[in-house]
């Protein structure tokens, strides 16, 4: 498939333009932390697709994994992360995340975040694949608490300006370097934002799948625009599915936090029997990929759409304090979690892959930095350890901000550039809604939890027949981004002829360390082709 450089025509001499020192795309915890870091060095423009508080951070329930429990150690957290990552974590990235995460959480508390406490200090929860209680939390609304504290800190700085309901379409490049972004404002007008350094923190792509715990904004825009601009992407086959999303007809796939299983919640099949012991000795606290496949296996065996999560051993008072958001939400649906079991099924949840970065948040495209779920710092490997995502966002958000500051100091000459793309370079307009639904269905059925060469080839054949949409509406652009990333995910999954972490192939069920402790990298060729490279090293070099 031909991947266009730009999705819409534009001419920066004829549209509104903004000039700034730092441009940040995305307003979750990684983007806000990057904004805080950069704000002391110059002007910051932060673009938010919806309002500044809408995104995956807000919906994070379980908590943030951090070594602040006196019974915990840096070494233990690193070891648990490596074990969950199934041999593909980059050790220095993991060590950086875990060690620096302690200071990042401490400063978050200084900025006003309030986490649950017990008589000894912070209260810590236990989640799957953790060897010790290390998950700091605020009930089951930790992400919302963090988002509030970070937004208050970032937006109080006079150098930070926020443009809400502003949809970024493409990155702008000049002479092989990023110089800003092209955005669609709420009034439908195009705006070019030029910056000395650009930080991409645009979140994940859970909407690629029919069933997802992700908010509607998670359409992979940051990854897709970076790919079109020439940045390398990696680990695209590693998409994590969460085993316990609410299953109720007509209701959203509301996430039931892994912290519930950390507090002793049990998974039951349609006959009311516990089943996890048949799949892993750690039972409900096994890594997410194992629990997810077990849940799927039980639903397929029983030909029943869900299993059940049982929290009824706890009192109403305990659940009201520990899981108030889950309790209130399910109560509105007629389910009392202190009395009733919760119907759950697996749903798409978190992307381990994304825009390749080094430990400083630098991408392969000069003057472009990335952090959060849009980036692949390689700290998560093939399967993210529960509650490491918020930690990674804080640590690498700050690091990306620091790197952007250094790049801005080196910048010479004017920020603004006369750039353009004419209509002949962009795909023709097409309606996107029907295409989007077909894409989501195909990805769920053939490139989802269980994969095979046959299913992935079928998915790729179908995707090749699905065109991009060159319409200027947000829906058209979101679909085009999803279509590009769907192809990259399926290609990577077909290339990796083994099972590892969240990537499970029925036709290759074993892990192959001898041949596959390597990464699949993608980059867009100058002529719009997709270039793929498999390597133990970084993204640069000749194609395979």
């Amino acid at each position: 498939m031909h991947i266009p450089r730009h999705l819409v025509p534009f001419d920066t001499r004829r549209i509104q333009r903004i000039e700034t020192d730092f441009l940040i795309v995305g307003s979750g915890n990684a983007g806000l932390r990057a904004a805080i870091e950069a704000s002391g060095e110059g002007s910051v423009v932060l673009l938010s697709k919806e309002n500044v508080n809408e995104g995956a951070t807000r919906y994070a329930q379980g908590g943030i994994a951090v070594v602040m429990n006196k019974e915990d150690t840096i070494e233990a957290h690193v070891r648990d992360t490596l074990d969950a990552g199934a041999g593909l974590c980059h050790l220095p990235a993991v060590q950086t995340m875990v060690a620096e995460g302690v200071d990042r959480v401490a400063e978050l508390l200084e900025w006003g975040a309030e986490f649950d406490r017990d008589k000894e200090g912070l209260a810590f929860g236990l989640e799957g694949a953790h060897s010790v209680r290390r998950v700091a939390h605020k009930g089951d609304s930790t992400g919302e608490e963090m988002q509030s504290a970070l937004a208050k800190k970032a937006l109080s700085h006079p150098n930070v300006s926020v443009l809400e309901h502003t949809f970024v379409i493409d990155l702008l490049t000049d002479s092989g370097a990023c110089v800003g972004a092209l955005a669609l404002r709420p009034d439908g007008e195009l705006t070019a934002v030029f910056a000395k350094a650009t930080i991409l923190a645009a979140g994940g792509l859970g909407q690629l799948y029919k069933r997802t715990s992700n908010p509607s904004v998670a359409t992979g825009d940051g990854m897709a625009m970076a790919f079109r601009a020439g940045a390398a992407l990696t680990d695209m086959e590693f998409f994590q599915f969460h085993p316990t999303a609410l299953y109720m007809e007509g209701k959203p796939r509301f996430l039931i936090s892994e912290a519930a299983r950390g507090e002793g919640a049990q998974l039951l099949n349609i006959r009311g029997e516990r089943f996890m012991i048949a799949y892993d000795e750690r039972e409900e606290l096994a890594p997410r990929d194992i629990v997810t496949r077990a849940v799927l296996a039980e639903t397929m065996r029983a030909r029943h759409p869900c299993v059940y999560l049982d929290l009824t051993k706890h009192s109403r008072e305990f659940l009201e304090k520990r899981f108030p958001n889950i309790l209130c939400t399910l109560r509105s649906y007629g389910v009392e979690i202190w009395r009733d079991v919760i119907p759950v099924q697996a749903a798409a949840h978190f992307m381990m892959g994304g825009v390749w970065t080094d430990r400083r948040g630098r991408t392969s495209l000069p003057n472009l930095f990335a952090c959060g779920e849009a980036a692949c710092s390689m700290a998560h490997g093939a399967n993210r350890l529960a509650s490491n995502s918020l930690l990674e966002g804080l640590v690498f958000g700050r690091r990306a901000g620091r790197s952007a500051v250094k790049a801005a100091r080196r910048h010479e000459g004017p920020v603004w550039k006369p750039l353009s793309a004419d209509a002949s370079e962009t795909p023709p307009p097409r309606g996107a809604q029907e295409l989007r639904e077909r894409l989501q269905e195909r990805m769920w059925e053939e490139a989802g939890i269980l994969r095979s060469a046959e299913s992935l080839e079928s998915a790729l054949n179908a995707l090749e027949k699905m065109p991009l949409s060159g319409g200027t509406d947000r829906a058209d652009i979101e679909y085009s981004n999803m279509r590009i990333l769907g192809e990259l995910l399926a290609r990577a999954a077909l290339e990796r002829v083994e099972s590892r972490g969240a990537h499970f192939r029925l036709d290759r069920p074993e892990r192959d360390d001898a041949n596959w402790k390597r990464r699949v990298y993608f980059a867009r060729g100058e002529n719009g082709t997709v270039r793929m490279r498999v390597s133990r090293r970084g993204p640069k070099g000749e194609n395979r």
Side-chain angles (χ1 to χ4, degrees):
M1 173 183 183
H2 175 268
I3 307 295
R5 169 64 187 88
H6 298 285
L7 290 183
V8 300
F10 67 91
D11 188 333
T12 61
R13 295 166 296 185
R14 294 181 171 85
I15 60 177
Q16 180 182 2
R17 68 175 184 261
I18 298 170
E19 297 180 32
T20 185
D21 293 313
F22 305 99
L23 169 62
I24 299 177
V25 182
S27 60
N29 78 321
L32 289 170
R33 188 59 189 83
I36 293 167
E37 197 65 24
S39 60
E41 292 283 336
S43 57
V44 177
V45 171
L46 191 150
L47 304 183
S48 182
K49 190 175 180 181
E50 293 288 345
N51 64 65
V52 76
N53 290 316
E54 179 62 19
T57 296
R58 172 189 168 192
Y59 296 99
Q61 295 178 3
I64 181 166
V66 61
V67 182
M68 287 180 154
N69 183 344
K70 63 183 181 181
E71 298 177 0
D72 199 6
T73 65
I74 296 292
E75 292 74 21
H77 191 177
V78 168
R79 183 174 60 250
D80 290 348
T81 300
L82 296 176
D83 288 346
L88 212 63
C89 295
H90 183 52
L91 178 59
V94 175
Q95 292 170 328
T96 296
M97 177 181 71
V98 172
E100 294 186 10
V102 178
D103 288 340
R104 300 288 74 77
V105 174
E107 70 186 4
L108 188 66
L109 296 172
E110 291 177 6
W111 295 339
E114 296 183 0
F115 291 170
D116 294 340
R117 294 179 177 271
D118 55 28
K119 61 183 179 181
E120 296 184 358
L122 286 178
F124 296 98
L126 180 67
E127 296 188 11
H130 288 271
S131 59
V132 66
R133 286 184 172 268
R134 67 165 62 95
V135 181
H137 52 79
K138 172 69 171 178
D140 56 355
S141 301
T142 310
E144 188 174 356
E145 181 69 14
M146 289 179 58
Q147 182 78 16
S148 176
L150 288 165
K152 183 178 180 180
K153 177 70 174 178
L155 304 188
S156 66
H157 199 288
N159 283 349
V160 178
S161 301
V162 178
L163 299 180
E164 295 185 311
H165 304 282
T166 300
F167 179 54
V168 180
I169 299 171
D170 264 314
L171 295 175
L172 299 173
T173 54
D174 180 58
S175 301
C178 183
V179 295
L182 181 72
L184 186 68
R185 297 293 297 273
D187 60 6
E189 294 297 318
L190 291 176
T191 297
V193 185
F194 289 96
K196 295 176 182 177
T198 299
I199 302 173
L200 200 57
L205 67 154
Q207 289 293 326
L208 188 60
Y209 289 96
K210 181 176 70 172
R211 300 174 188 168
T212 182
S213 66
N214 286 194
S216 61
V217 295
T219 52
D221 310 312
M223 299 176 204
M225 71 178 75
F227 177 74
R228 288 193 298 273
L233 272 59
T234 191
D235 287 4
M236 296 300 292
E237 66 270 42
F238 295 118
F239 198 102
Q240 186 174 74
F241 296 83
H242 199 288
T244 56
L246 178 68
Y247 173 75
M248 293 185 75
E249 200 66 37
K251 301 294 188 293
R253 294 292 190 271
F254 177 73
L255 191 70
I256 310 299
S257 171
E258 187 159 322
R261 285 178 279 129
E263 297 293 351
Q266 298 176 345
L267 285 165
L268 310 175
N269 60 25
I270 186 62
R271 295 182 296 276
E273 303 164 340
R274 293 185 68 186
F275 57 83
M276 276 307 305
I277 190 61
Y279 297 92
D280 194 280
E281 62 182 10
R282 291 163 289 186
E283 300 180 316
E284 280 83 1
L285 292 179
R288 279 185 184 167
D289 62 309
I290 294 172
V291 181
T292 295
R293 289 193 290 273
V295 166
L296 182 61
E298 291 295 312
T299 60
M300 294 172 67
R301 179 178 293 111
R303 297 185 179 180
H304 187 67
C306 66
V307 296
Y308 299 89
L309 191 68
D310 185 1
L311 269 164
T312 60
K313 75 173 189 177
H314 290 297
S315 68
R316 185 191 310 192
E317 291 73 24
F318 173 84
L319 295 172
E320 285 175 343
K321 181 179 180 181
R322 183 65 180 88
F323 301 113
N325 184 36
I326 293 173
L327 184 143
C328 289
T329 300
L330 268 65
R331 176 174 289 163
S332 71
Y333 299 151
V335 176
E336 292 284 1
I337 65 173
W338 54 270
R339 181 189 65 202
D340 305 322
V341 294
I342 307 167
V344 294
Q345 64 176 200
H349 185 56
F350 186 89
M351 173 51 109
M352 275 77 73
V355 183
W356 175 87
T357 69
D358 64 11
R359 283 188 295 152
R360 297 179 184 179
R362 299 179 298 189
T363 73
S364 60
L365 180 64
N367 287 343
L368 177 67
F369 308 87
C371 51
E373 196 175 349
C376 180
S377 68
M378 300 183 288
H380 300 311
N383 188 40
R384 174 176 66 89
L385 181 67
S387 289
N388 266 354
S389 56
L390 293 176
L391 188 74
E392 185 208 22
L394 288 180
V395 170
F396 291 101
R398 175 179 179 268
R399 283 181 155 250
R402 290 175 66 85
S403 294
V405 166
K406 292 178 181 178
R409 288 173 179 169
R410 295 192 298 268
H411 185 274
E412 297 179 355
V415 176
W416 178 79
K417 302 285 183 180
L419 303 172
S420 64
D422 64 43
S424 65
E425 298 178 48
T426 63
R430 296 181 177 90
Q433 186 57 38
E434 181 183 351
L435 289 169
R436 177 173 176 151
E437 292 174 0
R438 283 168 48 196
L439 173 65
Q440 291 170 322
E441 181 79 25
R442 183 71 66 166
M443 292 300 296
W444 180 262
E445 296 296 335
E446 297 180 334
I449 299 169
L450 302 179
R451 305 163 176 177
S452 67
E454 182 180 4
S455 73
L456 293 166
E457 287 168 354
S458 176
L460 281 170
N461 287 334
L463 287 171
E464 288 171 358
K465 296 181 176 67
M466 298 176 67
L468 299 182
S469 176
T472 56
D473 289 343
R474 172 173 147 176
D476 293 314
I477 297 163
E478 286 180 331
Y479 158 73
S480 291
N481 290 334
M482 293 163 63
R483 163 63 186 83
I484 291 168
L485 297 174
E487 178 177 335
L488 298 185
L489 189 156
R491 283 196 184 201
L494 185 61
E495 182 73 8
R496 182 174 288 277
V497 286
E498 63 155 359
S499 290
R500 184 183 296 271
H503 169 68
F504 189 84
R505 284 186 48 161
L506 292 166
D507 56 340
R508 299 278 185 160
E510 301 301 322
R511 179 168 143 178
D512 182 3
D513 282 348
N515 297 301
W516 276 103
K517 275 200 168 180
R518 299 184 292 167
R519 293 189 139 82
V520 180
Y521 294 94
F522 291 106
R524 177 185 176 273
E526 291 184 4
N527 58 355
T529 58
V530 177
R531 295 187 292 127
M532 182 171 65
R533 177 172 175 262
V534 180
S535 176
R536 286 184 170 87
R537 298 182 179 273
K540 296 180 180 179
E542 297 300 321
N543 294 326
R544 227 175 48 128

